[in-house]
Amino acid sequence: MRAFIAIELPNEIRDSLNGIQEKLKACKADVRWVAPENIHLTLKFLGEVNEEQLSKVKAIMETIAGQKKIFNIRLASVGAFPNMNYPRVIWAGVDNGGKEAEELACALEEKIEKIGIPKEERAFSSHITIGRIRSNLGKDRLTAGLKQPENYFKDSVHEFSVNKLTLFKSTLTPKGPIYEIVKEANLTTA
Ligand code: 2AM
């Protein structure tokens, strides 16, 4: 199965990210917006894994989660990869908690590489993808929209507690991916 490990987001955070998507939709750019219920923070994309790898991944998740304390993430920006002038991926950026997410991602990656799943070529960068650009149509309007602070998090705190790692199964369909939870591993309270 195709799978990935992520930080699940509370409904209210997904709702506010959906609010940002709605504002950016006014730019009428050619973007495939991530379905609000699918928005998450990817820690490790696994790709196709077999049953044996899957059970090892589950054990690794337990080990790593058991070594990490619950922490808070605060979202404070919206941006784009590779940059706002040439957006390919639109994301919400992690302000507080980025370092902890990166530590989790690196710890997972290190152990998961040992079971034959390749490391990412790029360094991990904490982000939450909310849209992927399909074509250059409306690109300049989108760039302008991304640079407007009123499209961002204003006046309210977007902070949530990360208390578990989640393994998702991803089924690709013509209507978009369907994500199902396969396993959760709790971070520690101590
Ligand atoms: P992204 O949020 O950084 O785009 C589930 O598909 C998640 O895994 C996506 O949200 C995406 O992370 C990541 N992903 C999908 N395909 C990938 C690939 N080929 N390589 C790395 N990460 C991928």
Side-chain angles (χ1 to χ4, degrees):
M1 83 162 127
R2 184 182 161 94
F4 62 95
I5 301 168
I7 293 173
E8 241 199 317
L9 306 180
N11 286 339
E12 59 272 23
I13 297 288
R14 285 196 290 237
D15 284 350
S16 70
L17 293 175
N18 181 231
I20 292 171
Q21 290 176 317
E22 292 302 325
K23 284 180 187 162
L24 289 169
K25 278 180 192 173
C27 302
K28 299 207 182 308
D30 192 14
V31 179
R32 190 160 25 91
W33 297 103
V34 178
E37 67 274 16
N38 280 353
I39 302 176
H40 59 266
L41 193 161
T42 307
L43 291 172
K44 174 67 187 164
F45 178 71
L46 301 166
E48 281 297 324
V49 286
N50 59 35
E51 281 304 320
E52 194 189 335
Q53 286 171 321
L54 197 63
S55 66
K56 288 179 180 166
V57 165
K58 289 178 183 173
I60 290 170
M61 286 173 67
E62 284 295 344
T63 304
I64 304 284
Q67 293 166 350
K68 294 278 176 190
K69 274 194 209 143
I70 290 173
F71 64 98
N72 275 10
I73 278 184
R74 192 170 70 203
L75 306 178
S77 60
V78 171
F81 289 140
N83 61 59
M84 288 206 208
N85 292 325
Y86 298 95
R88 304 302 318 157
V89 168
I90 306 169
W91 45 255
V94 174
D95 180 4
N96 283 9
K99 192 173 135 281
E100 286 86 346
E102 187 177 336
E103 283 168 6
L104 276 172
C106 291
L108 287 166
E109 176 130 282
E110 197 184 309
K111 285 207 184 298
I112 286 172
E113 192 193 14
K114 295 194 177 119
I115 62 163
I117 296 171
K119 267 191 162 173
E120 284 304 316
E121 282 171 21
R122 290 188 200 147
F124 179 82
S125 153
S126 296
H127 69 276
I128 297 171
T129 299
I130 59 170
R132 296 183 176 86
I133 281 71
R134 269 193 293 236
S135 78
N136 274 342
L137 208 83
K139 177 181 90 60
D140 292 343
R141 286 192 303 267
L142 179 63
T143 295
L146 286 168
K147 290 179 178 175
Q148 272 169 27
E150 60 269 27
N151 285 340
Y152 300 177
F153 308 93
K154 273 190 80 185
D155 306 326
S156 53
V157 178
H158 292 79
E159 191 157 0
F160 58 96
S161 168
V162 178
N163 47 28
K164 61 181 191 288
L165 306 178
T166 305
L167 177 65
F168 285 98
K169 173 183 176 184
S170 164
T171 308
L172 302 179
T173 80
K175 288 185 180 165
I178 297 167
Y179 298 151
E180 293 163 78
I181 296 174
V182 176
K183 182 188 170 56
E184 295 177 328
N186 291 327
L187 304 190
T188 68
T189 46

